[in-house]
């Protein structure tokens, strides 16, 4: 999480990735990974609507990989 990111922004990105609304999310800080960046863990029950969709625009793994900084 960068200084300009909020809990709501992180949850919104996760909802976009699973293409469903997330109810009762639990977000906690894991550790600092860089001077101005932190790692967080977002836990939630996968919504039924996300489990039985015919097609998904992007998989969760694809959306995570897209956001990684180049090495």
């Amino acid at each position: 999480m960068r200084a300009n990111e909020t809990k709501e922004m992180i949850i919104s990105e996760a909802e976009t990735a699973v293409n469903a609304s997330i109810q009762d999310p639990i977000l906690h800080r894991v550790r600092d990974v860089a001077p101005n960046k932190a790692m967080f863990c977002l836990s939630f029950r996968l919504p039924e609507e996300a489990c039985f969709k015919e097609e998904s625009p992007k998989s969760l793994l694809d959306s995570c990989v897209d956001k990684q900084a180049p090495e």
Side-chain angles (χ1 to χ4, degrees):
M1 175 185 282
R2 293 180 177 85
N4 63 342
E5 292 177 320
T6 64
K7 176 180 178 180
E8 290 76 21
M9 290 172 65
I10 293 171
I11 294 169
S12 176
E13 284 190 40
E15 289 176 331
T16 299
V18 298
N19 200 20
S21 179
I22 294 173
Q23 301 298 314
D24 305 320
I26 300 169
L27 182 73
H28 71 271
R29 186 183 192 105
V30 175
R31 65 185 176 101
D32 290 331
V33 293
N36 292 315
K37 195 171 186 182
M39 178 186 294
F40 286 80
C41 175
L42 177 62
S43 300
F44 57 92
R45 183 174 296 274
L46 188 62
E48 186 175 326
E49 63 202 58
C51 297
F52 300 106
K53 293 205 179 217
E54 291 289 325
E55 284 185 33
S56 175
K58 271 190 149 183
S59 73
L60 182 57
L61 179 59
D62 288 342
S63 66
C64 291
V65 171
D66 289 345
K67 296 193 183 314
Q68 290 181 353
E71 293 183 22

